[in-house]
Amino acid sequence: MTRTSSAPAVTRISSAPLRRPVTALLAVLLAASGILLGAGGAQAAGYRYWSFWEGDGKSWAYATQGPSLVRPDDGTVQGFRFAVSEDSADADRPRHAPDFGAICADTPAKGGAKRVALVIDPGTAEDAPAGEKPPALRTACAQVAPDASSAEALASVAKPLRYDSSAMICAISGYPKSGCGEQVSGDGSKKDGSGKPTDDASASASASSAPAADDGDSGGGPSAGLLLGIGAVLLLGVAAVFQARRRR
């Protein structure tokens, strides 16, 4: 009697079905990593515009309304600063103290009128449009009607003013000669681009406006949504690999 030994059959599972989803997963992860690295290296764009400020005697605060809406009291100090900035949180302040007593020292009070001290700061050569030179910073004491707005006070001492169709102030005392809230590149070169500041409280009715400050990372890094998305992809990938190994 011939005895035949039979070895247990070995079931070979092809690795091809497993390779396909893992390869696809790696491709997705690489693409997501590219997006993340690109977002992290991106530089936020800035805008070249006149910003509007209110002084408290010691420091400056970015105005929450445009100059045509604000009706300042007698003794108020307000400032205008021309510069390139990313948003209202990044905007440059006027480079002169908001000192009403010093600015309006030579303008005595008069019945039926109010005095508004103004600081008009055209900024630096670095912020100037190509081919233009900023005039010197100056102060002025506007004496206007009691119900005059900040825009009217500015107009009384700093003509000519130039506005765009949305009532955003583009030039004070003729500076700059052209342009209005134009976007500049985010690589530090400050080349003219296109677009305008968006959605700031002071843009609602007049004069100066700025892009709204971002509640997220203002440094141009990856957003929280992007990080969560990549995290979700990673979790799905781990789960897929774990499930594939269990089936083996």
Side-chain angles (χ1 to χ4, degrees), residues 42-67:
Q43 297 293 324
Y47 298 86
R48 181 183 287 116
Y49 67 100
W50 281 99
S51 56
F52 178 41
W53 300 82
E54 296 178 325
D56 62 3
K58 296 181 180 179
S59 60
W60 293 105
Y62 197 91
T64 58
Q65 291 181 305

Side-chain angles (χ1 to χ4, degrees), residues 143-166:
Q143 197 160 50
V144 292
D147 63 346
S149 67
S150 299
E152 291 170 325
L154 178 66
S156 72
V157 298
K159 290 180 179 179
L161 304 180
R162 177 166 55 86
Y163 292 86
D164 70 359
S165 59
S166 64

